Amino acid sequence: MALDLTLSPLYRITGQEAPSMPGLLVTLPPRKTARSREQDRLLVYLLLTGNATISSAEYTKITADAADVFYQASGSLTSALRSTSDSINRALLDRNLSTSGRGQYVNGWLTLAAVREAHCTVLLSGPMHLYFLGKPGTRHIYEPVLAGKGLGLSQTVPVHFSQAELQAGDRILFCGRVPPAWESALNDAAPASLAGTRRRLVTLTGEDLNAVLLQVTDGTGKLTLLPGGTEPREEPVQTAALNSRSTPTGLPPTVNLPRAARADSQPVEESIPAAAHVVQPSAYAIPPERDEEKTSESEPVVTSTPISQPVTARPKAPREFPASIPRAQPQVQMPEPPAEEKVPPIIKEEIKTPSRRTRREILPKISREPKAPEAPREPSERTRQAARALAGSIRGLRNINQRVGEGLRKFLPRLLPATDAGESPIISSTVMFLIAILAPVIVVTVASVVYLRFGRSIQYETYLTAANNDRVQAQSLTDPVEQWKAWERVLTDVERAESVRKTSETIQIRAEAEEKRDTLLGILRLQFSPAFSTNLGITVSRMAASETDLYLLNAETGAVLRAEFTNGRGFQIDTSFSCAPGVYGGYTVGPLVDILAMPTLNSINATVLGIDAAGNLLYCAPNQVAQAIPLPPPDTNWNRVTAFVMDSGNLYVLDALSRAVWVYTGKDGTFIDRPYFFFGGQTPEKQDVIDLLVVGDELYMLHSDGHLSNCSYSRIETKPTQCTDPVTLTNPFPAYQDTDLFGTAHITQIAVSAPPDTSLLLLSADDQAVFRITPRSFELQNQMKPATIGTSSPVPSGPVDAIAVAPNHVLYLAIDGQVYFATGMP
């Protein structure tokens, strides 16, 4: 990740800025973590309020224990964050119960941010604020209803989740209480440097402050935590455009947060110790305990932590809608430092430039204590043997060169014309020079031919024999996990053999190994072909398909493209088709956010239907002008429409920010009646739904963290609509063993397969996989992936942007401006 992240605490008590900020912990993964936590970086921002007094050691222990809980929690990222918040809640609740007799209590406001590459998942508990200051303006995340009153007050922990992406030039402000003087400055924030933003916020008010300001800049992946009261260096303002693939709920891209070093973490650049975590005495914080005995000099202390940790970025073209909410992203495990190495502490300096005091402590005093030169080490017996072998080879080459030269010297004169009797032929110096040059060349050429003919054949036979032995072993095994490992070894040996020579035998063994491996893992390979002869040069956010046509939604413009199938030539774009934002019959239609293929019979004769964020429908068809009809608004009016779907002639519209799904009864493809609320008296707790699907009375919703929820509509007034959140997905293939297939997937869209075998389809974008799930039992049937031809595939690597399924069982995948289709889908 080529982004530098800089954290600057805004922590002021009684008019003075403190050098360290209590409750701010930023940490790298330790050496021993649970599965799926190896690449997660954690930020803990804990703000304690109440009337109790808490020691700095206890305060520090709470945040450190929370980090330990996070890195020992397996499963999904949101589950680990929830376990972390639960651990803090238990610690605070136990403390409150022990001091309840004295009328003392502690209330914790918590922000947890887990970062995986450029993707960040944030958990808020309590009335915490998050301001996103970017080029388009200010976005404010504040959910006091969902996030509740905080931690330590009850056994249940109310939390609110958000997910988004980092972009260079963004600034993020985390704050527990926003001073009134900041509101206008934050709402009208213009692009500025970290130093300028910090200076403006600090000078606007004289109140006590407790906030964290973060800025994202282009760089090498360095993370820096500045000490409190230190003004950052002035740097050029970066105003990179926002990535339009951020959350479809309208939330801003959040940040990949830095962290403070831990004793067992990976190598980072540490800062020098400073004051320990002391609870801040402000209008909204617990007064600190000034007991000398409880804050001894032996206590650990924390201040600024410049962290320089380069990470590789994955470039992605910006897209306006919809945002594929990221999930797990596999990374290469970072190297661990030797146990005896320690990073010298520094402040705002690179690891290669330690402070003057540090240099005096860690550098050897060469000038005062010169070391005696070490005696040369005696070579080992193996070294002597290698030297003797090399010398023998050189002597042999010289002897061969000499013999060839003498032979040519005797042979060449016989080819010359006869000379007088008794007169020996004279060979010129030029001929002798050519002999000296050509002789070694001939020797090397002959040796090379011998090696290429016989030596590489020996390598090929060695690898092929190993592949056949592993193949026999795999066929004899009965445990699915061991079988899978054995077939993986077969593929490894075949790849080595084919690096020497590719034959029909290696091709046959590879095909068998791949088939057996895919069977064990439940993978169904489909043969995909490109739909267009050239790349379209656009980002496709949604697709819809009929038996003959394919419709693509341009993420940047919100317009629809139509492609028609031509026999033998794939698909061609219909340049005369018009379905784009504009004014139609007095109605203004904005950029479309979703599309669907219309039934063949409808009163408007439309083939595709689109909807914008304001609930305006746009009916389009070839060779006719598009027609706009606004949907009757619901009782609460629209917040932002993010998706819609049609089932049995009825239209289901998702307004994620309002936590609502509105149902419109259809009449020949038109929707003129006012809608009804799908959930009845039950309102979903979260507003993070990014896609939905309806099959009969069953509603399936895909959430931003990749989990699925299900609601069954009740037509009986006395029986309310029942919802299950989350739905447990079952993987019946034992070869995965303890691997969480769904937890590590990046699921971005949901669809349904064509009858008669109706299944739920979940798109795992990064793996180019489509999971087939049974609607009732939620069990994995298989996962469809592109087939490979040898070691190559017609589908390039990269995430899938959109998915569509045609009624004639054709599966479409949109990848980087091109569409690939496969027939014969189950």
Side-chain angles (χ1 to χ4, degrees):
M1 179 180 62
L3 293 176
D4 286 350
L5 306 178
T6 304
L7 274 166
S8 179
L10 283 72
Y11 180 48
R12 185 165 61 195
I13 333 173
T14 64
Q16 298 293 328
E17 289 198 55
S20 64
M21 179 174 178
L24 180 60
L25 175 66
V26 197
T27 175
L28 291 164
R31 296 174 183 174
K32 295 182 180 180
T33 65
R35 185 184 297 271
S36 305
R37 299 282 82 78
E38 299 88 350
Q39 304 300 328
D40 293 337
R41 297 172 287 177
L42 178 68
L43 177 140
V44 181
Y45 174 33
L46 178 63
L47 177 63
L48 295 182
T49 67
N51 59 4
T53 302
I54 184 171
S55 68
S56 58
E58 187 178 2
Y59 197 111
T60 305
K61 185 177 184 301
I62 292 175
T63 55
D65 291 347
D68 292 336
V69 170
F70 175 79
Y71 285 113
Q72 298 305 318
S74 58
S76 65
L77 185 57
T78 55
S79 175
L81 291 174
R82 190 180 292 275
S83 298
T84 306
S85 63
D86 288 341
S87 69
I88 299 177
N89 182 67
R90 285 193 299 270
L92 297 181
L93 184 60
D94 292 342
R95 194 184 192 283
N96 288 339
L97 293 176
S98 64
T99 59
S100 60
R102 300 191 299 270
Q104 297 179 349
Y105 73 96
V106 175
N107 181 207
W109 300 357
L110 177 65
T111 296
L112 295 176
V115 180
R116 201 177 277 176
E117 285 196 343
H119 309 302
C120 179
T121 303
V122 179
L123 177 147
L124 301 178
S125 182
M128 299 292 281
H129 295 258
L130 189 150
Y131 282 86
F132 179 83
L133 313 177
K135 183 178 179 182
T138 300
R139 298 290 182 86
H140 183 196
I141 299 179
Y142 178 57
E143 294 290 343
V145 176
L146 298 177
K149 296 181 180 181
L151 308 178
L153 304 180
S154 66
Q155 293 183 352
T156 60
V157 181
V159 296
H160 171 68
F161 285 101
S162 288
Q163 293 192 10
E165 296 185 4
L166 287 173
Q167 289 293 325
D170 296 344
R171 290 160 294 154
I172 309 293
L173 179 70
F174 301 91
C175 188
R177 185 182 65 87
V178 180
W182 281 9
E183 294 180 358
S184 60
L186 293 174
N187 292 331
D188 301 325
S193 65
L194 178 63
T197 305
R198 188 185 193 282
R199 190 183 310 115
R200 185 182 183 190
L201 294 178
V202 170
T203 56
L204 276 176
T205 179
E207 300 180 25
D208 289 349
L209 301 178
N210 191 306
V212 181
L213 182 62
L214 181 144
Q215 186 171 41
V216 184
T217 58
D218 285 320
T220 59
K222 183 173 65 175
L223 301 145
T224 304
L225 177 60
L226 302 176
T230 301
E231 185 167 310
R233 296 178 307 189
E234 287 285 354
E235 295 181 358
V237 180
Q238 301 186 14
T239 58
L242 290 176
N243 188 341
S244 57
R245 288 188 68 174
S246 55
T247 62
T249 60
L251 298 179
T254 54
V255 296
N256 187 357
L257 298 174
R259 56 207 166 199
R262 295 162 48 89
D264 56 350
S265 64
Q266 300 178 11
V268 296
E269 295 187 6
E270 282 281 15
S271 65
I272 63 172
H277 283 244
V278 180
V279 183
Q280 60 276 21
S282 65
Y284 53 99
I286 303 171
E289 182 173 342
R290 298 297 185 183
D291 191 350
E292 296 272 351
E293 298 177 359
K294 293 185 178 181
T295 57
S296 64
E297 295 181 357
S298 62
E299 275 190 340
V301 287
V302 178
T303 47
S304 84
T305 308
I307 304 172
S308 184
Q309 185 68 47
V311 184
T312 303
R314 182 180 61 192
K316 180 66 183 149
R319 51 189 294 184
E320 188 64 26
F321 184 86
S324 297
I325 303 301
R327 277 185 54 76
Q329 185 71 19
Q331 275 190 341
V332 180
Q333 181 67 31
M334 303 177 185
E336 297 182 354
E340 68 276 8
E341 290 187 1
K342 294 185 179 180
V343 183
I346 57 175
I347 295 184
K348 295 183 63 179
E349 294 182 3
E350 296 296 334
I351 188 66
K352 296 181 181 179
T353 315
S355 65
R356 185 175 304 170
R357 173 177 173 270
T358 305
R359 286 197 296 266
R360 289 200 299 268
E361 294 176 354
I362 65 175
L363 294 181
K365 302 177 181 179
I366 300 176
S367 59
R368 299 179 183 178
E369 300 176 6
K371 294 183 180 179
E374 297 180 358
R377 189 174 57 181
E378 189 70 20
S380 63
E381 182 62 27
R382 181 177 297 180
T383 305
R384 293 194 186 96
Q385 293 178 359
R388 285 195 292 269
L390 180 60
S393 301
I394 296 174
R395 285 196 299 270
L397 184 61
R398 288 178 178 175
N399 292 335
I400 294 175
N401 189 14
Q402 184 178 359
R403 292 176 182 178
V404 172
E406 292 177 357
L408 290 176
R409 189 180 296 109
K410 294 179 180 180
F411 175 72
L412 288 178
R414 300 178 183 178
L415 301 179
L416 299 177
T419 58
D420 295 338
E423 183 180 354
S424 299
I426 299 175
I427 302 177
S428 65
S429 59
T430 303
V431 175
M432 295 297 294
F433 176 76
L434 292 176
I435 292 174
I437 296 297
L438 293 176
V441 172
I442 294 173
V443 172
V444 172
T445 302
V446 172
S448 301
V449 171
V450 172
Y451 170 74
L452 293 175
R453 183 175 180 84
F454 300 102
R456 289 178 63 85
S457 296
I458 294 175
Q459 283 186 330
Y460 168 79
E461 293 296 337
T462 301
Y463 294 141
L464 186 62
T465 301
N468 282 319
N469 292 338
D470 290 335
R471 174 172 168 268
V472 173
Q473 181 185 10
Q475 292 173 342
S476 63
L477 295 172
T478 56
D479 181 71
V481 177
E482 296 300 326
Q483 281 184 319
W484 169 74
K485 293 179 180 179
W487 287 115
E488 286 290 343
R489 291 194 296 270
V490 172
L491 290 173
T492 300
D493 294 332
V494 169
E495 289 178 0
R496 293 174 178 174
E498 289 184 339
S499 66
V500 179
R501 185 167 70 248
K502 188 174 183 179
T503 63
S504 59
E505 189 173 3
T506 61
I507 295 175
Q508 180 181 358
I509 296 176
R510 173 184 287 277
E512 180 186 7
E514 290 178 343
E515 180 183 359
K516 297 293 186 181
R517 179 198 60 186
D518 290 347
T519 301
L520 291 169
L521 299 179
I523 298 176
L524 175 63
R525 300 285 178 177
L526 299 179
Q527 188 62 50
F528 283 85
S529 303
F532 305 102
S533 57
T534 59
N535 193 289
L536 299 179
I538 64 172
T539 300
V540 179
S541 60
R542 296 282 185 176
M543 292 192 297
S546 64
E547 292 189 357
T548 57
D549 296 340
L550 175 65
Y551 299 94
L552 315 173
L553 180 58
N554 189 328
E556 284 79 13
T557 63
V560 181
L561 281 71
R562 173 178 177 263
E564 52 185 344
F565 181 75
T566 57
N567 292 328
R569 292 184 296 173
F571 286 81
Q572 287 187 348
I573 295 295
D574 182 3
T575 56
S576 63
F577 182 77
S578 177
C579 189
V583 179
Y584 300 91
Y587 299 111
T588 300
V589 178
L592 302 180
V593 297
D594 202 357
I595 58 175
L596 58 84
M598 289 289 288
T600 305
L601 299 177
N602 60 84
S603 60
I604 304 182
N605 296 323
T607 58
V608 64
L609 178 63
I611 190 171
D612 67 2
N616 295 308
L617 298 179
L618 187 62
Y619 295 82
C620 304
N623 304 318
Q624 76 177 37
V625 179
Q627 182 177 352
I629 301 177
L631 285 173
D635 296 335
T636 59
N637 214 335
W638 298 113
N639 196 326
R640 175 181 170 84
V641 175
T642 52
F644 74 149
V645 67
M646 184 182 295
D647 181 74
S648 302
N650 296 332
L651 199 66
Y652 298 77
V653 183
L654 170 65
D655 188 347
L657 292 180
S658 300
R659 304 192 295 274
V661 174
W662 299 100
V663 186
Y664 290 84
T665 303
K667 296 179 181 179
D668 297 330
T670 61
F671 310 93
I672 58 176
D673 296 333
R674 296 186 66 83
Y676 63 87
F677 191 55
F678 180 89
F679 303 105
Q682 181 181 5
T683 303
E685 297 181 358
K686 302 177 181 179
Q687 49 183 193
D688 61 345
V689 179
I690 60 174
D691 204 358
L692 78 164
L693 181 68
V694 176
V695 180
D697 289 336
E698 301 295 325
L699 170 66
Y700 305 93
M701 294 177 290
L702 178 63
H703 296 258
S704 59
D705 60 356
H707 83 267
L708 198 67
S709 61
N710 168 233
C711 295
S712 300
Y713 181 73
S714 175
R715 302 181 182 275
I716 304 175
E717 294 184 0
T718 58
K719 182 181 179 181
T721 298
Q722 299 293 328
C723 293
T724 303
D725 185 13
V727 166
T728 301
L729 301 178
T730 305
N731 182 1
F733 297 96
Y736 286 96
Q737 202 175 17
D738 297 330
T739 302
D740 186 0
L741 176 63
F742 303 108
T744 57
H746 176 197
I747 301 176
T748 58
Q749 289 187 10
I750 183 173
V752 62
S753 62
D757 186 13
T758 302
S759 302
L760 305 180
L761 304 179
L762 303 180
L763 171 62
S764 179
D766 294 344
D767 302 326
Q768 293 187 351
V770 178
F771 299 137
R772 292 181 65 235
I773 308 294
T774 55
R776 294 289 183 182
S777 61
F778 299 104
E779 183 178 85
L780 176 67
Q781 295 176 285
N782 53 39
Q783 51 175 314
M784 296 175 287
K785 288 188 173 183
T788 57
I789 303 175
T791 57
S792 61
S793 171
V795 179
S797 60
V800 180
D801 297 322
I803 182 180
V805 180
N808 53 350
H809 297 268
V810 179
L811 178 63
Y812 297 90
L813 302 178
I815 304 175
D816 194 22
Q818 177 64 282
V819 177
Y820 300 87
F821 67 96
T823 59
M825 170 190 164

